[in-house]
Amino acid sequence: MTKDEPIHEAPAIFNSKTRPQSADDEISDFGKVNYLEVTRHQHDQRLDNFLLNRLKGLPKPHIYKMIRSDEIRVNNKRCKAHDRVQREDVVRIAPVVLATREKPIISSEFAKSLLARVVYEDEGLIVLNKPSGIAVHGGSGLAFGVIEAMREVTGKKYLELVHRIDKDTSGLLMISKKRSALKVLQQHLVDKTIQKHYLCIAKGQPALNEQRIDASLLRYTLASGERRVKVDTQDPQTKESQTDIVVHGRFTIAEQPVSLIEAKPLTGRTHQIRVHMAHIGHAILGDDKYHVHDKSGVHRLCLHAWRLDIPGYDTITAPLPDEMLDWMPEDIKANLPK
């Protein structure tokens, strides 16, 4: 079977014990063989992503092992992680023990605070002004993130992240309410027709008001297992990366020169803005990964996903959080970019 080849010919007959359940519904008993019928909400998803959304709590390597070991079948056929499931396909899942099966306990206060941060919503898209310090999804020791909380709070069967932003970054996060909207928006991201704008407070004061940072980036892993990114031009795995920056104000914090900077990533690499800013000598304040000697006294990452330009939509913005505004003099706040 070739990469991304759809899997067809769903089996026509199931006895009463193996009648497939809708993949929209949660699995109630992981200790038995489960048969899930793909609906329009999962149509054309990669098999690994389909399984990750239904076997929450199971490590990703375990899911890939199940696929390789023939514990996952689609329409009674062997399959690969990159195969795409189609509507009415039936996915067979062998008995599995999940690391955790409990639903996250989400306080009503937190739920209300998330819903209050929705800055845009239509029939296919929610845009949320995510607070700093909250991950976009659960995993790596986190019981839940924004997407799990939004699913629980809204009661919607289908909500998926269109993209991701770092846990410590605040600002605009796109969440799709329909599979069709997800595909359109993610294709825009692939085609680079969505422009994201970030605002950050950075160390020092650049000599130029505008510049393009063109520095290839390489992801690597520390001995602790934590992911990091660095500028690297030699490694064959390095990826081309560009960020445009504009200085909107120069001031001081704790008698140290700093700048309010708009950053527009032209590529979408992990930690791109944070690494690019550190690379040119203007690391973002509060960055505990790429500005470890920060003496400003700022206690959060001063990076905010401020504006989205999406084809076919009005411009969507999220105001700077108070934790960043409080560090700025009045004249800077009065002239924030619109």
Side-chain angles (χ1 to χ4, degrees), residues 165-201:
I165 58 177
D166 293 342
K167 175 183 176 182
D168 294 324
T169 301
S170 57
L172 298 173
L173 178 69
M174 293 182 284
I175 300 172
S176 71
K177 298 165 65 177
K178 291 182 176 181
R179 177 70 180 161
S180 56
L182 178 67
K183 293 180 70 174
V184 169
L185 290 164
Q186 288 189 332
Q187 189 59 51
H188 278 310
L189 291 172
V190 170
D191 295 339
K192 298 182 175 61
T193 47
I194 290 178
Q195 181 60 66
K196 302 175 187 177
H197 303 250
Y198 292 75
L199 290 175
C200 64
I201 303 176

Short mmCIF file of all heavy atoms in Angstrom, two decimals, residues 165-201:
data_model
loop_
_atom_site.label_atom_id
_atom_site.label_comp_id
_atom_site.label_asym_id
_atom_site.label_seq_id
_atom_site.Cartn_x
_atom_site.Cartn_y
_atom_site.Cartn_z
N ILE A 165 0.70 26.58 19.58
CA ILE A 165 1.63 27.60 20.07
C ILE A 165 2.20 27.10 21.39
O ILE A 165 1.60 26.26 22.07
CB ILE A 165 0.97 28.99 20.23
CG1 ILE A 165 -0.22 28.95 21.20
CG2 ILE A 165 0.53 29.55 18.88
CD1 ILE A 165 -0.85 30.31 21.44
N ASP A 166 3.37 27.60 21.75
CA ASP A 166 4.04 27.12 22.95
C ASP A 166 3.19 27.34 24.20
O ASP A 166 2.40 28.29 24.27
CB ASP A 166 5.37 27.86 23.14
CG ASP A 166 6.39 27.53 22.06
OD1 ASP A 166 6.20 26.51 21.38
OD2 ASP A 166 7.35 28.31 21.92
N LYS A 167 3.40 26.49 25.19
CA LYS A 167 2.69 26.59 26.46
C LYS A 167 2.81 27.98 27.07
O LYS A 167 1.83 28.55 27.57
CB LYS A 167 3.23 25.55 27.44
CG LYS A 167 2.67 25.62 28.84
CD LYS A 167 3.32 24.59 29.74
CE LYS A 167 2.84 24.73 31.18
NZ LYS A 167 3.50 23.75 32.08
N ASP A 168 3.99 28.56 27.04
CA ASP A 168 4.23 29.84 27.71
C ASP A 168 3.93 31.05 26.84
O ASP A 168 4.04 32.19 27.30
CB ASP A 168 5.66 29.90 28.22
CG ASP A 168 5.92 28.87 29.33
OD1 ASP A 168 4.99 28.64 30.12
OD2 ASP A 168 7.02 28.30 29.37
N THR A 169 3.58 30.81 25.58
CA THR A 169 3.17 31.89 24.69
C THR A 169 1.67 32.12 24.86
O THR A 169 0.89 31.17 24.92
CB THR A 169 3.46 31.54 23.22
OG1 THR A 169 4.86 31.30 23.07
CG2 THR A 169 3.04 32.66 22.28
N SER A 170 1.26 33.37 24.95
CA SER A 170 -0.17 33.69 25.01
C SER A 170 -0.65 34.08 23.62
O SER A 170 0.13 34.28 22.70
CB SER A 170 -0.41 34.84 26.00
OG SER A 170 0.34 35.99 25.64
N GLY A 171 -1.99 34.17 23.49
CA GLY A 171 -2.53 34.72 22.25
C GLY A 171 -3.35 33.76 21.42
O GLY A 171 -3.84 32.74 21.89
N LEU A 172 -3.48 34.11 20.15
CA LEU A 172 -4.47 33.51 19.25
C LEU A 172 -4.16 32.06 18.89
O LEU A 172 -3.08 31.73 18.41
CB LEU A 172 -4.56 34.35 17.97
CG LEU A 172 -5.03 35.79 18.18
CD1 LEU A 172 -4.94 36.58 16.89
CD2 LEU A 172 -6.46 35.84 18.73
N LEU A 173 -5.16 31.21 19.12
CA LEU A 173 -5.08 29.79 18.82
C LEU A 173 -6.32 29.39 18.04
O LEU A 173 -7.44 29.60 18.49
CB LEU A 173 -4.99 28.98 20.12
CG LEU A 173 -4.95 27.46 19.98
CD1 LEU A 173 -3.62 27.02 19.36
CD2 LEU A 173 -5.16 26.78 21.34
N MET A 174 -6.12 28.79 16.85
CA MET A 174 -7.24 28.38 16.00
C MET A 174 -7.65 26.94 16.32
O MET A 174 -6.82 26.04 16.36
CB MET A 174 -6.85 28.49 14.52
CG MET A 174 -6.62 29.90 14.04
SD MET A 174 -6.23 29.98 12.26
CE MET A 174 -4.51 29.43 12.28
N ILE A 175 -8.97 26.75 16.50
CA ILE A 175 -9.55 25.42 16.77
C ILE A 175 -10.68 25.20 15.77
O ILE A 175 -11.59 26.04 15.66
CB ILE A 175 -10.10 25.34 18.20
CG1 ILE A 175 -8.97 25.58 19.22
CG2 ILE A 175 -10.77 24.00 18.46
CD1 ILE A 175 -9.45 25.71 20.65
N SER A 176 -10.63 24.10 15.03
CA SER A 176 -11.67 23.84 14.03
C SER A 176 -12.85 23.11 14.65
O SER A 176 -12.69 22.28 15.54
CB SER A 176 -11.10 23.03 12.86
OG SER A 176 -10.84 21.70 13.27
N LYS A 177 -14.04 23.43 14.17
CA LYS A 177 -15.27 22.76 14.60
C LYS A 177 -15.76 21.77 13.57
O LYS A 177 -16.71 21.01 13.83
CB LYS A 177 -16.35 23.82 14.85
CG LYS A 177 -15.99 24.81 15.95
CD LYS A 177 -16.88 26.03 15.93
CE LYS A 177 -18.33 25.72 16.24
NZ LYS A 177 -19.14 26.98 16.27
N LYS A 178 -15.12 21.76 12.40
CA LYS A 178 -15.50 20.85 11.31
C LYS A 178 -14.24 20.34 10.64
O LYS A 178 -13.25 21.06 10.51
CB LYS A 178 -16.36 21.57 10.26
CG LYS A 178 -17.74 21.97 10.71
CD LYS A 178 -18.49 22.61 9.56
CE LYS A 178 -19.92 22.94 9.93
NZ LYS A 178 -20.64 23.55 8.76
N ARG A 179 -14.30 19.10 10.19
CA ARG A 179 -13.17 18.52 9.45
C ARG A 179 -12.88 19.33 8.19
O ARG A 179 -11.72 19.56 7.84
CB ARG A 179 -13.50 17.07 9.09
CG ARG A 179 -12.45 16.35 8.26
CD ARG A 179 -11.20 16.09 9.05
NE ARG A 179 -10.20 15.40 8.24
CZ ARG A 179 -8.91 15.38 8.54
NH1 ARG A 179 -8.48 15.99 9.62
NH2 ARG A 179 -8.06 14.73 7.78
N SER A 180 -13.94 19.81 7.51
CA SER A 180 -13.74 20.57 6.27
C SER A 180 -13.00 21.87 6.55
O SER A 180 -12.11 22.27 5.78
CB SER A 180 -15.09 20.87 5.61
OG SER A 180 -15.96 21.54 6.52
N ALA A 181 -13.33 22.54 7.66
CA ALA A 181 -12.64 23.78 8.01
C ALA A 181 -11.19 23.50 8.36
O ALA A 181 -10.29 24.27 7.99
CB ALA A 181 -13.35 24.46 9.18
N LEU A 182 -10.94 22.40 9.06
CA LEU A 182 -9.57 22.03 9.43
C LEU A 182 -8.70 21.86 8.19
O LEU A 182 -7.58 22.37 8.12
CB LEU A 182 -9.57 20.74 10.26
CG LEU A 182 -8.20 20.21 10.67
CD1 LEU A 182 -7.53 21.15 11.67
CD2 LEU A 182 -8.34 18.81 11.28
N LYS A 183 -9.21 21.14 7.19
CA LYS A 183 -8.44 20.88 5.97
C LYS A 183 -8.13 22.18 5.24
O LYS A 183 -7.01 22.37 4.75
CB LYS A 183 -9.19 19.90 5.07
CG LYS A 183 -9.32 18.50 5.66
CD LYS A 183 -10.07 17.57 4.75
CE LYS A 183 -9.27 17.21 3.51
NZ LYS A 183 -9.94 16.17 2.69
N VAL A 184 -9.11 23.09 5.15
CA VAL A 184 -8.90 24.35 4.45
C VAL A 184 -7.85 25.20 5.17
O VAL A 184 -6.91 25.72 4.55
CB VAL A 184 -10.23 25.13 4.33
CG1 VAL A 184 -9.96 26.56 3.85
CG2 VAL A 184 -11.18 24.43 3.37
N LEU A 185 -7.98 25.31 6.48
CA LEU A 185 -7.06 26.16 7.25
C LEU A 185 -5.65 25.58 7.26
O LEU A 185 -4.66 26.32 7.15
CB LEU A 185 -7.58 26.33 8.67
CG LEU A 185 -8.86 27.19 8.78
CD1 LEU A 185 -9.51 27.01 10.13
CD2 LEU A 185 -8.55 28.66 8.52
N GLN A 186 -5.53 24.27 7.39
CA GLN A 186 -4.20 23.66 7.38
C GLN A 186 -3.56 23.76 6.01
O GLN A 186 -2.34 23.89 5.90
CB GLN A 186 -4.28 22.21 7.86
CG GLN A 186 -4.55 22.12 9.36
CD GLN A 186 -4.43 20.73 9.92
OE1 GLN A 186 -4.65 19.74 9.22
NE2 GLN A 186 -4.10 20.63 11.19
N GLN A 187 -4.37 23.74 4.95
CA GLN A 187 -3.80 23.94 3.62
C GLN A 187 -3.30 25.37 3.47
O GLN A 187 -2.25 25.61 2.85
CB GLN A 187 -4.84 23.63 2.54
CG GLN A 187 -4.26 23.60 1.12
CD GLN A 187 -3.16 22.56 0.96
OE1 GLN A 187 -3.35 21.39 1.31
NE2 GLN A 187 -2.01 22.97 0.44
N HIS A 188 -4.01 26.33 4.04
CA HIS A 188 -3.53 27.71 4.06
C HIS A 188 -2.16 27.79 4.75
O HIS A 188 -1.26 28.51 4.31
CB HIS A 188 -4.51 28.63 4.78
CG HIS A 188 -5.66 29.09 3.93
ND1 HIS A 188 -5.50 29.63 2.67
CD2 HIS A 188 -7.00 29.10 4.18
CE1 HIS A 188 -6.67 29.96 2.17
NE2 HIS A 188 -7.60 29.64 3.06
N LEU A 189 -2.01 27.05 5.85
CA LEU A 189 -0.73 27.06 6.56
C LEU A 189 0.37 26.46 5.70
O LEU A 189 1.49 26.97 5.66
CB LEU A 189 -0.85 26.29 7.88
CG LEU A 189 -1.73 26.94 8.97
CD1 LEU A 189 -1.92 25.98 10.13
CD2 LEU A 189 -1.12 28.25 9.44
N VAL A 190 0.06 25.37 5.00
CA VAL A 190 1.03 24.75 4.10
C VAL A 190 1.42 25.72 2.99
O VAL A 190 2.60 25.85 2.63
CB VAL A 190 0.46 23.45 3.51
CG1 VAL A 190 1.37 22.92 2.39
CG2 VAL A 190 0.31 22.38 4.59
N ASP A 191 0.42 26.42 2.46
CA ASP A 191 0.66 27.35 1.34
C ASP A 191 1.21 28.70 1.81
O ASP A 191 1.48 29.57 0.99
CB ASP A 191 -0.65 27.59 0.57
CG ASP A 191 -1.17 26.33 -0.11
OD1 ASP A 191 -0.36 25.40 -0.34
OD2 ASP A 191 -2.38 26.26 -0.39
N LYS A 192 1.31 28.86 3.15
CA LYS A 192 1.81 30.11 3.74
C LYS A 192 0.95 31.31 3.36
O LYS A 192 1.43 32.43 3.14
CB LYS A 192 3.27 30.35 3.34
CG LYS A 192 4.23 29.28 3.84
CD LYS A 192 5.66 29.59 3.46
CE LYS A 192 6.64 28.58 4.07
NZ LYS A 192 6.40 27.21 3.62
N THR A 193 -0.38 31.09 3.30
CA THR A 193 -1.30 32.19 3.00
C THR A 193 -1.98 32.72 4.25
O THR A 193 -2.79 33.65 4.16
CB THR A 193 -2.36 31.74 1.97
OG1 THR A 193 -2.90 30.47 2.36
CG2 THR A 193 -1.73 31.61 0.59
N ILE A 194 -1.69 32.14 5.41
CA ILE A 194 -2.08 32.73 6.69
C ILE A 194 -0.86 33.43 7.26
O ILE A 194 0.20 32.84 7.37
CB ILE A 194 -2.57 31.66 7.70
CG1 ILE A 194 -3.93 31.08 7.26
CG2 ILE A 194 -2.70 32.26 9.10
CD1 ILE A 194 -4.45 30.00 8.17
N GLN A 195 -1.00 34.72 7.60
CA GLN A 195 0.12 35.44 8.21
C GLN A 195 -0.15 35.62 9.70
O GLN A 195 -1.16 36.18 10.10
CB GLN A 195 0.32 36.80 7.57
CG GLN A 195 1.49 37.59 8.16
CD GLN A 195 2.82 36.86 8.01
OE1 GLN A 195 3.31 36.68 6.90
NE2 GLN A 195 3.41 36.45 9.13
N LYS A 196 0.76 35.11 10.52
CA LYS A 196 0.68 35.29 11.97
C LYS A 196 1.57 36.46 12.36
O LYS A 196 2.68 36.60 11.85
CB LYS A 196 1.14 34.02 12.69
CG LYS A 196 0.35 32.77 12.32
CD LYS A 196 0.97 31.55 12.99
CE LYS A 196 0.32 30.27 12.54
NZ LYS A 196 0.97 29.08 13.14
N HIS A 197 1.10 37.25 13.30
CA HIS A 197 1.87 38.38 13.83
C HIS A 197 1.98 38.19 15.35
O HIS A 197 0.97 37.97 16.02
CB HIS A 197 1.18 39.71 13.56
CG HIS A 197 0.90 39.99 12.12
ND1 HIS A 197 1.57 40.96 11.40
CD2 HIS A 197 0.01 39.44 11.26
CE1 HIS A 197 1.10 40.99 10.16
NE2 HIS A 197 0.14 40.08 10.06
N TYR A 198 3.18 38.31 15.87
CA TYR A 198 3.43 38.20 17.30
C TYR A 198 3.98 39.53 17.81
O TYR A 198 4.68 40.24 17.07
CB TYR A 198 4.44 37.10 17.61
CG TYR A 198 3.96 35.69 17.34
CD1 TYR A 198 3.87 35.20 16.04
CD2 TYR A 198 3.62 34.84 18.39
CE1 TYR A 198 3.44 33.91 15.79
CE2 TYR A 198 3.19 33.54 18.16
CZ TYR A 198 3.11 33.08 16.86
OH TYR A 198 2.69 31.79 16.62
N LEU A 199 3.71 39.83 19.06
CA LEU A 199 4.36 40.95 19.73
C LEU A 199 5.19 40.39 20.88
O LEU A 199 4.76 39.48 21.59
CB LEU A 199 3.34 41.94 20.27
CG LEU A 199 2.57 42.77 19.23
CD1 LEU A 199 1.50 43.62 19.90
CD2 LEU A 199 3.51 43.65 18.41
N CYS A 200 6.39 40.91 21.03
CA CYS A 200 7.25 40.45 22.11
C CYS A 200 8.03 41.62 22.70
O CYS A 200 8.20 42.66 22.06
CB CYS A 200 8.22 39.36 21.61
SG CYS A 200 9.41 39.91 20.38
N ILE A 201 8.45 41.45 23.95
CA ILE A 201 9.38 42.40 24.57
C ILE A 201 10.73 41.70 24.61
O ILE A 201 10.86 40.60 25.16
CB ILE A 201 8.94 42.78 25.99
CG1 ILE A 201 7.54 43.37 25.97
CG2 ILE A 201 9.92 43.79 26.59
CD1 ILE A 201 6.99 43.70 27.36
#
